Amino acid sequence: MKNLKIAIQKSGRLNEKSVQLLKNCGLDFENYKSSLITTVGNFPLEILFLRDDDIPGYVEQGIADLGIVGENIIDETESKVEYIKRLGFGKCTLKLAIPKDSSIQDIKDLNGKAIATSYPNILKNFLDDYKIDADIRLISGSVEISPGLGLSDAICDIVSTGGTLKSNGLKPFADVKNSEAILVGREGLEGNEILIELVQRIESVLLAKETKYVVLNVEKKNLPAITSLLHGVKSPTVVPLAEEGWVAVHTVITEDDFWDKINKLKAEGAQGIVVMPVEKIIL
Ligand code: PRT
Ligand code: ZN
């Protein structure tokens, strides 16, 4: 079968995590910063290293079969690509922001105002939804300094921690779009066996990342209360301890309700709780 090609960011915020995800899928390749393309040794895949802005277009045109790129870039380039999997990293929000002392209070107040952004298409669609007619000024970098320079009344830019806005005297005003890294594919790739295998591996890596392996000790009389709190992959494993009347319980817990679960387990008599990372889960 013909190798698939996947495009990932060459350098920048998504590069490291994209490379790590593919490596965690068991793919063996050299991450040469200087080359544009590398071949995976143990899987029918080639990796293209590109600027993130070029990835959706390459996938749309079929030069790459797959790509890992921020949703913000897919939307801004208005590329026709298939969403295959949300990857849970590169999370950020495209926000409107205004100077701290701005008189703008409502989205309607943006009428006739100048807004600097690197995302003119997404912003235009957002403003159209609110029937706002603003002057969108395209700036390719350092958007956050434009109000201070008198170039705009507001900005529309990517925010993750909010630190950049704050240090430039700006405050977030409205969320335009949430974004995260997405695995996208060209049209017509459905049913491709290499893709199916790759997606299966990605899913097992993502699932494992959200999960912790937990071992705890509990007195047998408290076991029903403990097991009622746990599901495991199928159900928890219970093994006897050398000390009479005690058992060890092995299970997995998801990250989102981790501390809540641990506190409930402690309240029901769990002791010596050991938590370990999980590498992969194959359902
Ligand atoms: O060279 P290339 O074109 O490939 O990269 P790039 O410089 O255009 O993009 P890069 O590497 O900065 O970001 C790649 C992708 O990461 C983006 O398209 C988003 O999907 C995602 N992402 C996640 C972010 C951020 N977080 C982020 N914080 N992209 C940019 N930022 C910038 C933002 O523009 C602002 O300048 O970080 C600043 C704000 O950060 P905070 O933490 O101060 O709020
Ligand atoms: Zn870019």
Side-chain angles (χ1 to χ4, degrees):
M1 191 178 281
K2 202 165 159 277
N3 281 5
L4 290 188
K5 290 194 182 74
I6 185 167
I8 66 171
Q9 195 188 23
K10 186 172 174 63
S11 63
R13 285 183 161 85
L14 302 184
N15 166 268
E16 207 174 300
K17 289 202 166 142
S18 304
V19 166
Q20 201 51 54
L21 175 66
L22 296 177
K23 295 217 159 172
N24 287 344
C25 287
L27 307 189
D28 184 18
F29 59 94
E30 299 289 342
N31 184 20
Y32 290 122
K33 288 272 175 204
S34 55
S35 62
L36 178 70
I37 187 160
T38 189
T39 303
V40 175
N42 58 352
F43 195 79
L45 191 71
E46 282 160 61
I47 304 172
L48 302 175
F49 297 98
L50 301 175
R51 295 232 14 212
D52 65 348
D53 317 73
D54 296 334
I55 293 175
Y58 268 57
V59 175
E60 181 175 0
Q61 293 165 43
I63 299 166
D65 303 286
L66 299 166
I68 295 179
V69 67
E71 214 175 346
N72 51 314
I73 304 290
I74 303 167
D75 280 15
E76 182 57 30
T77 55
E78 297 176 344
S79 307
K80 286 186 191 59
V81 293
E82 307 279 348
Y83 275 41
I84 298 174
K85 192 86 206 154
R86 296 187 165 271
L87 300 174
F89 62 86
K91 286 192 176 172
C92 55
T93 307
L94 187 63
K95 291 188 188 223
L96 281 159
I98 49 176
K100 265 196 240 135
D101 55 3
S102 170
S103 60
I104 295 169
Q105 289 188 342
D106 189 87
I107 293 192
K108 297 262 175 276
D109 298 338
L110 291 169
N111 245 323
K113 295 285 197 296
I115 310 173
T117 188
S118 309
Y119 295 89
N121 291 327
I122 300 179
L123 178 58
K124 169 100 177 47
N125 289 335
F126 177 85
L127 294 175
D128 283 353
D129 285 348
Y130 286 91
K131 303 198 165 33
I132 305 284
D133 187 16
D135 173 13
I136 297 175
R137 301 203 172 155
L138 176 62
I139 296 188
S140 59
S142 303
V143 172
E144 63 280 352
I145 62 173
S146 79
L149 296 175
L151 293 171
S152 70
D153 304 294
I155 68 164
C156 176
D157 198 13
I158 297 282
V159 177
S160 60
T161 62
T164 304
L165 290 186
K166 211 166 177 188
S167 61
N168 284 282
L170 301 170
K171 60 180 182 188
F173 170 62
D175 289 2
V176 175
K177 173 162 189 60
N178 291 323
S179 178
E180 68 183 282
I182 311 263
L183 175 70
V184 292
R186 63 172 168 79
E187 282 174 359
L189 209 56
E190 302 80 24
N192 181 288
E193 282 172 27
I194 303 169
L195 175 63
I196 292 170
E197 172 68 24
L198 182 65
V199 169
Q200 232 171 49
R201 293 192 192 189
I202 289 175
E203 280 172 351
S204 81
V205 171
L206 296 180
L207 191 59
K209 228 173 80 186
E210 292 164 9
T211 311
K212 296 279 176 266
Y213 192 85
V214 176
V215 181
L216 58 88
N217 297 329
V218 67
E219 264 190 281
K220 254 186 185 162
K221 65 177 166 63
N222 294 331
L223 188 58
I226 294 286
T227 51
S228 73
L229 289 168
L230 303 170
H231 308 290
V233 173
K234 195 171 182 69
S235 68
T237 308
V238 180
V239 287
L241 291 190
E243 189 173 328
E244 192 57 39
W246 282 76
V247 290
V249 177
H250 294 231
T251 193
V252 292
I253 291 181
T254 53
E255 194 75 80
D256 52 352
D257 62 351
F258 179 79
W259 285 109
D260 181 48
K261 268 277 159 68
I262 293 289
N263 289 334
K264 284 182 178 153
L265 290 167
K266 275 165 68 181
E268 297 294 351
Q271 295 182 9
I273 304 173
V274 177
V275 181
M276 288 165 277
V278 175
E279 196 181 295
K280 292 184 181 65
I281 296 183
I282 295 112
L283 291 175

